[in-house]
Amino acid sequence: MSTASFVVTPMSRGFVAEVSGADVRSLDECGVTVLRRALDEHRVLVVRGQSLSAADQVEFSARLGELYRMPYVRPLDDHPDVIAVLKEADEVKVSTFGSWWHADFSYLDEPPVYSVLHAVDLPPHGGDTLFADMIGAFEALSVSMRRVLCRLCIMHSGHIYGRRLARDGSRGRMRGVQISTGHEEAEIERSHPLVRQHEPTGRQALFANPTYCTRLANMSVEDSKSLLDFLYAHCGRPEFTWRQVWREGDLLLWDNRAVTHLAVNDYDGHRRLLHRTTVCSEKPVAAR
């Protein structure tokens, strides 16, 4: 496929773009490069009309960069690089995986960079995914506030996979995927810059989320609460968010360095299955 055969159309000001006319299975190297550059610029790409097997998704994802396997989450038996994000129709009145604002596995020393999510089985309504633009949210703050935030670090932890949540160390379904809980190391706190450098664009992004972040570095949970509550509310404002209403064949790509997201759990009684792959990892670097 020639790079001229697909079109990248911004869906909002500098944040999220739609890709039409592409078949990711047959992109040439130049096409993959153009797609990756568009992803770095827009942070979220919606590639319409894809019909991918799990193997197809793995092959495409590997062309974006080195595949990355997530800890604690059980992949497909026959595709170890693919996670099934699944909620069955009979799973009602339970939360779903990723139903709070987060950047994927931000608590790791080198968190993942790109996530790739493909719609396999969609409910007739609901099951949308929300995204927040952490670059746009940071740039909208006052100069003095940005200066303060750039001097701070924030503690991240994978505590939702830890012993405090599953004291028996059991393995089971939790919020839509097969995960292994009860890990002592998951509760380790790691410090990352509150504002990280987005290397592809040279811009800065807030790197905080209420799922994995516990407190500001060198501060208690209580003393951190006011500032973090303000930042989370700020990032969730309509002008910084976008809603992916899933269509059949949608392939979603996003940059965890520059956005957070959540899954809307509003489709009880219906099955929802998406396949996720993860690409590259990077140690967060403080804003310059």
Side-chain angles (χ1 to χ4, degrees):
M1 175 178 284
S2 164
T3 59
S5 63
F6 68 84
V7 177
V8 179
T9 304
M11 299 180 73
S12 63
R13 185 180 177 184
F15 169 53
V16 187
E18 180 182 78
V19 178
S20 55
D23 181 347
V24 300
R25 296 171 300 182
S26 56
L27 288 176
D28 59 23
E29 286 305 313
C30 188
V32 172
T33 298
V34 170
L35 202 66
R36 189 169 52 239
R37 287 175 179 169
L39 176 56
D40 289 338
E41 178 184 354
H42 296 285
R43 284 86 85 191
V44 180
L45 291 184
V46 186
V47 188
R48 303 292 190 189
Q50 304 304 296
S51 179
L52 304 178
S53 67
D56 290 334
Q57 184 172 342
V58 169
E59 183 177 351
F60 164 68
S61 300
R63 298 184 71 193
L64 295 173
E66 184 178 357
L67 294 172
Y68 191 84
R69 294 182 183 178
M70 296 293 92
Y72 315 131
V73 181
R74 180 181 175 182
L76 297 181
D77 291 338
D78 51 348
H79 293 285
D81 294 303
V82 180
I83 294 170
V85 180
L86 171 65
K87 183 182 175 186
E88 295 286 8
D90 61 357
E91 294 182 279
V92 298
K93 295 184 179 179
V94 297
S95 61
T96 189
F97 184 70
S99 57
W100 305 280
W101 286 111
H102 67 286
D104 286 338
F105 295 86
S106 66
Y107 60 87
L108 297 175
D109 187 53
E110 294 186 5
V113 175
Y114 303 124
S115 293
V116 181
L117 196 61
H118 182 237
V120 178
D121 191 5
L122 297 175
H125 52 77
D128 301 345
T129 305
L130 302 182
F131 287 86
D133 178 11
M134 304 301 273
I135 288 179
F138 176 71
E139 292 178 347
L141 294 168
S142 68
V143 172
S144 57
M145 175 62 84
R146 295 200 302 266
R147 286 173 179 163
V148 169
L149 298 181
C150 285
R151 296 196 293 266
L152 300 178
C153 289
I154 188 168
M155 307 305 293
H156 295 242
S157 168
H159 55 91
I160 66 170
Y161 309 103
R163 293 188 182 278
R164 285 178 290 179
L165 216 65
R167 296 183 184 280
D168 61 354
S170 62
R171 178 186 293 271
R173 181 174 298 284
M174 176 183 170
R175 292 181 293 279
V177 296
Q178 292 292 331
I179 71 165
S180 175
T181 59
H183 296 275
E184 209 170 309
E185 69 275 13
E187 296 177 26
I188 296 172
E189 288 186 311
R190 288 187 175 89
S191 177
H192 288 315
L194 180 57
V195 182
R196 71 181 293 177
Q197 189 76 14
H198 187 245
E199 296 293 353
T201 62
R203 298 168 75 181
Q204 291 80 41
L206 287 166
F207 193 57
N209 66 83
T211 296
Y212 295 127
C213 292
T214 55
R215 59 189 176 87
L216 295 170
N218 303 313
M219 294 179 66
S220 68
V221 172
E222 292 76 15
D223 289 344
S224 305
K225 188 177 187 305
S226 293
L227 179 56
L228 293 182
D229 284 351
F230 163 76
L231 291 176
Y232 296 148
H234 173 74
C235 294
R237 286 165 51 181
E239 60 265 40
F240 307 129
T241 59
W242 179 80
R243 190 179 191 107
Q244 159 73 355
V245 180
W246 289 93
R247 304 179 192 172
E248 183 179 353
D250 277 355
L251 180 70
L252 206 67
L253 297 79
W254 69 86
D255 187 335
N256 286 289
R257 298 169 296 185
V259 301
T260 57
H261 63 283
L262 68 80
V264 181
N265 183 26
D266 60 351
Y267 53 96
D268 273 4
H270 300 285
R271 189 175 194 262
R272 179 180 184 266
L273 172 63
L274 303 101
H275 283 167
R276 197 182 86 184
T277 44
T278 309
V279 180
C280 299
S281 64
E282 180 181 288
K283 190 175 182 65
V285 174
R288 297 191 290 270

